[in-house]
Amino acid sequence: MGFLSALRGFLGDKSRLDASEESLERFRDAWGLDADPEEASETPGESTPGPDAAAASEFDKTQWRRKLHHIFEKYPASSGEWPLLMREARALKLDDAMVASGTKGEFIMMIRALIADRRLSEEDQVRVEEVRKLIGMSEEQAAAVVRSVVVDAERFFGGDVVIED
């Protein structure tokens, strides 16, 4: 009970709340605070955003990439999440180049996962086509990506990757 008694005594001690103006001034100087919070901003409680407040943090970008990965990994079950993810990218003010790069990278990883068994079935091709449409990639770009991944896979496996018709 000694600890709880000490805590009760500390929390019940109101004498430290009657600090001198000099000690309050030293405290405000140490923390860079204004003497009167009402003078600090025109609206009470309003704070000034930092210089990079408009930019997404690294945490936000990482979380957005994880959600992007989830959509590609769980497609077609996750197809309804795509509009929300794009809305979130706009809300976070993510750079268009970052969004495009991340999307293309996940598209490539999805194709790699599909051909890990050395074949691209008709079902896999339908999935690739649906995702291509979802992300707004042209047929030519998607075909080039698929060819590139297949060539890499053939080099890695040391044999052909079968693309079913």
Side-chain angles (χ1 to χ4, degrees):
M1 284 298 224
F3 172 74
L4 294 177
S5 295
L7 183 61
R8 186 176 313 123
F10 175 76
L11 294 176
D13 181 17
K14 304 292 184 199
S15 66
R16 67 184 184 288
L17 298 178
D18 300 327
S20 69
E21 187 58 38
E22 180 183 315
S23 67
L24 290 175
E25 185 64 32
R26 284 195 319 258
F27 178 79
R28 284 191 292 266
D29 289 343
W31 286 89
L33 301 173
D34 292 326
D36 185 9
E38 298 291 325
E39 295 173 11
S41 64
E42 296 176 15
T43 307
E46 179 182 321
S47 63
T48 307
D52 63 344
S57 68
E58 287 304 312
F59 176 79
D60 291 334
K61 291 176 184 178
T62 301
Q63 292 304 309
W64 187 86
R65 276 301 296 259
R66 285 183 179 179
K67 292 174 186 177
L68 178 67
H69 176 75
H70 168 78
I71 288 173
F72 279 83
E73 186 177 59
K74 302 295 182 189
Y75 192 87
S78 62
S79 63
E81 298 174 32
W82 181 255
L84 298 172
L85 186 68
M86 291 299 103
R87 198 172 314 137
E88 185 177 340
R90 287 189 300 278
L92 291 171
K93 297 181 178 141
L94 296 179
D95 185 351
D96 290 341
M98 184 223 155
V99 171
S101 172
T103 302
K104 184 177 180 183
E106 290 300 331
F107 185 65
I108 289 170
M109 292 305 294
M110 182 192 75
I111 296 168
R112 285 181 178 166
L114 292 174
I115 63 171
D117 60 355
R118 294 183 164 186
R119 65 184 196 93
L120 191 62
S121 69
E122 288 181 36
E123 183 180 307
D124 294 341
Q125 291 175 47
V126 168
R127 181 176 173 188
V128 168
E129 179 63 16
E130 288 175 356
V131 171
R132 179 200 68 79
K133 288 177 184 176
L134 181 72
I135 65 176
M137 186 180 277
S138 72
E139 287 183 35
E140 295 80 25
Q141 288 174 317
V145 169
V146 170
R147 277 192 302 272
S148 171
V149 172
V150 167
V151 166
D152 286 345
E154 288 176 340
R155 197 173 324 127
F156 177 79
F157 292 127
D160 291 341
V161 172
V162 177
I163 299 177
E164 297 176 2
D165 289 326

